Amino acid sequence: MDDQSPVYTLDEALNHVGFGKFQVLLLLFAGMGLVAEAMEVMILSFIGPAIKSEWRLSSGQESLLTTVVFGGLLLGSYSWGFISDNYGRRKGFLGIAVVASVTGLLSAFSPNYMLLMTLRGLVGFGLGAGPVFLTWFLEFAPASNRGMWMVVISIFWTLGTISEASLAWVIMPRLNWRWLLALSSVPSFAVLLLFGLAPESPRYLCMAGRSSDAHHILEKVALRNRTNLPSGMLFPDNNRLDNEFVIPEHKPLLPSSANKMPEVKSGGSPFFMLLSSRLIKTTLLLWVLFFGNSFLYYGIVLLTSELSSRETKCGSTLLFLQKAEDASLYINVFITSLAELPGLLLSAVIVDRVGRKISMTIMSVLTFMFLLPLVVHQPVTLTTALLFRARMFANGTFTVASIYAPEVYPTSVRASGCGIASAMGRIGGMVCPLVAVGMVSGCHQTAAIFVLEVVVVVSVVCILLFPFESKGRELADTA
């Protein structure tokens, strides 16, 4: 390349072409992947009792159906991230869609408990794909409003939970759980059918030394958005030596590598790279944050469910619905899912204005404030309102953390890093019922709230210890 020739980076190209029709199509594709994951995760809330009754399962066997799904999600989060980082985002999509759709449909025809449990575990493995979809979409979003659009795509998860509650409300009283399993696999099949239209990430292509292919995709982005690429040639590495990529009052996100082309070490272990001296602090803080966020979110959800019983031995009263009503479970999930939307709206408004760290801190503090009065028993209406608002802001914090994680990792380990962080969150979700539900069931509501508050405090400490803010910064490609 002629030293005098003008060059531009991927972030400069994306900022120049802007967010347009091309990214909207990507948003819908990635969003469908999140809808599929949310529906398959939520489905066991509705089919568990029916399967237990039909096959005369014990409570432990019913719970194990949920546990194997979370176990599959735990393994899938890392596995699909590893595949996407080493072999391309599209190969990750293909594997995800095939495994999730086929096993999801087959589980509807399970003749016995053991086969159903095996297939649901494989569904969970296929659905550990959220980090891959989020990473892929992030790599097409302009840095200037990247945070807002990442919040927008997170809405699809909430849409998935609402859709599953609505579908169960219609199907379960009229047909049976097998129909619900089969119809809930439709979004996964939609991802599989639309796979051929999904482009490879230009960041991955540049990292793999395929700059011409990356430039070709950028040309398609510009054409669809009715704009033009910057003049000059695409420089494949966003880590530059011209001192433009420096965060004020901080060290650069990653060391510069402008004098060498990025390389892909296919088959290498991203895990050890995540624990390298450059990334270990951020990695460990993210693991604790994701564990805490997931523990807190599911703790609030389960607390709402536990405190919604009409009259327990602890003297709790009905919060908003009577379980004796046939439709109460579906309405419960529907309403509490809607409660997340205001939190997502707040996240979208502030994430690109005040930054990721301040946004997470603000919403974590609000979560703490709304949970605090529940240390003592409150009136029914007030308890309901406090739990709903706590869920709003806990979900908002989780959403911004899911934006921050892929921004701080280089392209070479971005999907893997986010996948492992997500896996840590899955562990938090698995541990939470043992703590929160156990305490509430044992008439220890105060202790349960205290545990959740401690988790909030630990999460805020992690947020404050993150070494840099990622708002508006170019994404790094190599480490």
Side-chain angles (χ1 to χ4, degrees):
M1 180 184 299
D2 186 352
D3 291 340
Q4 301 303 316
S5 299
V7 296
Y8 58 86
T9 65
L10 281 166
D11 275 301
E12 289 169 344
L14 291 171
N15 281 326
H16 196 272
V17 300
F19 193 100
K21 292 181 179 179
F22 190 93
Q23 285 93 340
V24 170
L25 295 175
L26 304 187
L27 174 71
L28 295 175
F29 178 79
M32 184 61 67
L34 297 182
V35 167
E37 182 178 355
M39 290 182 68
E40 293 285 8
V41 168
M42 292 299 300
I43 197 171
L44 291 173
S45 300
F46 307 115
I47 68 171
I51 296 174
K52 179 182 179 182
S53 176
E54 180 177 330
W55 288 346
R56 298 181 180 180
L57 303 178
S58 66
S59 296
Q61 288 175 312
E62 181 188 2
S63 300
L64 191 57
L65 283 173
T66 301
T67 301
V68 297
V69 172
F70 273 92
L73 287 166
L74 182 67
L75 296 174
S77 295
Y78 174 72
S79 301
W80 297 120
F82 177 86
I83 291 171
S84 298
D85 281 337
N86 284 274
Y87 306 105
R89 313 306 191 217
R90 295 186 80 248
K91 287 185 174 61
F93 290 155
L94 181 59
I96 289 163
V98 170
V99 173
S101 60
V102 172
T103 56
L105 180 60
L106 288 178
S107 64
F109 301 95
S110 300
N112 54 59
Y113 171 76
M114 287 303 299
L115 184 57
L116 177 63
M117 187 173 65
T118 301
L119 289 171
R120 296 312 297 175
L122 290 173
V123 170
F125 178 78
L127 291 171
V132 178
F133 285 107
L134 292 175
T135 295
W136 175 73
F137 179 71
L138 174 88
E139 293 175 341
F140 282 94
S144 57
N145 54 7
R146 189 168 57 216
M148 182 192 71
W149 287 110
M150 291 297 289
V151 172
V152 170
I153 194 175
S154 299
I155 294 175
F156 282 90
W157 172 273
T158 301
L159 293 178
T161 63
I162 294 172
S163 299
E164 188 62 32
S166 303
L167 184 63
W169 198 348
V170 173
I171 296 297
M172 290 299 288
R174 296 167 176 81
L175 299 171
N176 57 42
W177 59 270
R178 295 182 185 276
W179 278 95
L180 186 60
L181 281 175
L183 292 174
S184 297
S185 67
V186 170
S188 294
F189 276 104
V191 173
L192 181 60
L193 292 174
L194 296 173
F195 164 76
L197 302 178
E200 182 57 85
S201 165
R203 293 191 184 278
Y204 171 80
L205 292 172
C206 283
M207 187 185 67
R210 298 165 57 187
S211 300
S212 60
D213 291 336
H215 184 264
H216 182 61
I217 291 176
L218 291 174
E219 287 180 328
K220 289 184 178 180
V221 178
L223 180 63
R224 174 71 68 172
N225 291 356
R226 296 184 179 180
T227 57
N228 296 306
L229 290 173
S231 59
M233 300 183 66
L234 173 65
F235 187 74
D237 193 350
N238 266 354
N239 305 324
R240 302 168 65 177
L241 286 177
D242 55 9
N243 293 324
E244 291 180 9
F245 186 42
V246 178
I247 298 178
E249 300 180 3
H250 290 287
K251 297 179 181 179
L253 285 175
L254 292 167
S256 180
S257 57
N259 291 331
K260 60 181 180 180
M261 295 294 290
E263 297 178 357
V264 181
K265 297 180 179 180
S266 297
S269 176
F271 183 82
F272 293 108
M273 187 173 177
L274 294 172
L275 297 179
S276 66
S277 59
R278 294 286 185 178
L279 297 175
I280 187 170
K281 179 179 179 180
T282 299
T283 294
L284 294 179
L285 289 173
L286 280 174
W287 288 358
V288 176
L289 179 63
F290 270 71
F291 180 95
N293 281 349
S294 185
F295 186 99
L296 178 65
Y297 174 80
Y298 287 109
I300 294 171
V301 172
L302 293 169
L303 203 62
T304 303
S305 176
E306 287 295 313
L307 295 179
S308 294
S309 57
R310 185 172 186 177
E311 279 189 44
T312 69
K313 60 182 180 180
C314 308
S316 299
T317 58
L318 176 68
L319 287 185
F320 54 90
L321 292 167
Q322 293 185 8
K323 287 188 176 180
E325 299 178 7
D326 292 338
S328 64
L329 179 59
Y330 314 122
I331 299 173
N332 190 346
V333 174
F334 187 88
I335 293 176
T336 53
S337 296
L338 287 178
E340 297 179 1
L341 294 177
L344 292 173
L345 178 61
L346 175 63
S347 302
V349 170
I350 68 175
V351 68
D352 282 324
R353 288 177 169 81
V354 303
R356 287 37 164 169
K357 292 180 63 175
I358 296 179
S359 296
M360 288 188 285
T361 302
I362 290 173
M363 289 185 287
S364 295
V365 170
L366 288 171
T367 303
F368 184 95
M369 292 172 60
F370 283 115
L371 283 176
L372 189 59
L374 295 177
V375 171
V376 296
H377 290 278
Q378 301 293 339
V380 172
T381 304
L382 180 58
T383 300
T384 303
L386 290 170
L387 285 172
F388 272 31
R389 284 161 176 76
R391 178 169 175 173
M392 284 166 45
F393 296 116
N395 184 62
T397 304
F398 209 158
T399 299
V400 178
S402 297
I403 297 169
Y404 184 75
E407 288 182 327
V408 298
Y409 283 127
T411 303
S412 55
V413 292
R414 183 168 294 127
S416 297
C418 295
I420 297 177
S422 178
M424 293 298 171
R426 305 298 184 190
I427 296 175
M430 294 170 68
V431 172
C432 178
L434 302 177
V435 180
V437 176
M439 287 182 174
V440 175
S441 299
C443 304
H444 301 297
Q445 177 182 328
T446 298
I449 297 297
F450 179 77
V451 169
L452 295 181
E453 294 286 52
V454 170
V455 171
V456 176
V457 172
V458 172
S459 297
V460 171
V461 171
C462 289
I463 294 167
L464 297 177
L465 289 176
F466 281 123
F468 47 76
E469 171 59 57
S470 61
K471 181 189 76 170
R473 306 313 309 182
E474 291 186 351
L475 299 178
D477 289 327
T478 59

